Amino acid sequence: MDIKGQCWTDEESDGENESEQFLYGIQCCLLQGSCAADLYRHPQLDADIEAVKDIYTDSAISVREYGTIDDVDIDLHINIGFLDEEVATAWKVIRTEPIILRLRFSLSQYLDGPEPSVEVFQPSNKEGFSLGLQLKK
C-alpha cells in the first residue's frame, strides 16, 4: 500500500510470487474496508428487506452484513405481545420480548446459494426454549 492509502496494481508489482500478492490483496481489502465481496449484493435482497419494513415496521428487521466473507444475518423480530399470559407461560416465552428468527446466508447468492442457516430464540430466554425448536423446523 502506498502512502496515500491505495493498493498497488499487478502492473506495479515488483515480482512478488502469487501467494504474497494474494495476502497483500487481503490486507489492502481489510485496510480500505472494501473488497470484491462488498461490491455485489443480490438485488432481490434489498427489495425483500424493504417489503418487510413496508408491511411491518423498520424495527421488525435488522441486517448485519459480513462482506469480507460474503455472509449476511437477517434478524426478523416477531412481536408476541398479543399472546395471553396463560399461553405465554405454557409455551415458556416472555411476552414482552420478541422472538428473533435469524437467517444467515450468502450476500451475493441470496436466492441462488445454499439453504440459509436458521436460529430461533429470545435473547433472555435461551434455556428450555422449545418453541424455538418447533419454529425452526
Side-chain angles (χ1 to χ4, degrees):
M1 181 177 292
D2 68 10
I3 297 172
K4 296 177 189 173
Q6 298 175 350
C7 296
W8 292 306
T9 63
D10 289 339
E11 294 83 36
E12 296 167 331
S13 173
D14 58 357
E16 298 172 324
N17 68 36
E18 286 183 33
S19 64
E20 288 174 341
Q21 288 178 359
F22 175 76
L23 292 174
Y24 179 75
I26 290 174
Q27 290 171 345
C28 288
C29 170
L30 294 174
L31 290 171
Q32 289 183 340
S34 65
C35 305
D38 290 336
L39 300 177
Y40 181 75
R41 283 172 67 131
H42 196 287
Q44 188 61 45
L45 177 59
D46 290 325
D48 289 346
I49 290 170
E50 288 306 313
V52 169
K53 289 179 179 181
D54 289 346
I55 293 170
Y56 301 102
T57 64
D58 286 352
S59 64
I61 189 168
S62 63
V63 179
R64 280 180 313 288
E65 294 181 15
Y66 307 100
T68 56
I69 59 171
D70 191 37
D71 269 357
V72 63
D73 281 352
I74 305 286
D75 287 357
L76 301 173
H77 303 259
I78 302 167
N79 181 358
I80 58 169
F82 62 88
L83 290 177
D84 292 334
E85 189 62 41
E86 290 177 4
V87 173
T89 302
W91 287 358
K92 297 180 182 172
V93 296
I94 301 169
R95 286 180 46 213
T96 57
E97 185 175 316
I99 292 175
I100 307 296
L101 180 97
R102 178 170 291 158
L103 303 171
R104 176 172 283 167
F105 47 85
S106 168
L107 186 59
S108 63
Q109 299 177 357
Y110 171 51
L111 297 175
D112 306 320
E115 192 173 299
S117 66
V118 178
E119 295 177 59
V120 182
F121 60 94
Q122 279 188 306
S124 63
N125 184 17
K126 295 187 179 187
E127 294 298 317
F129 190 61
S130 58
L131 179 63
L133 295 173
Q134 292 174 0
L135 291 172
K136 183 177 178 178
K137 291 180 182 199

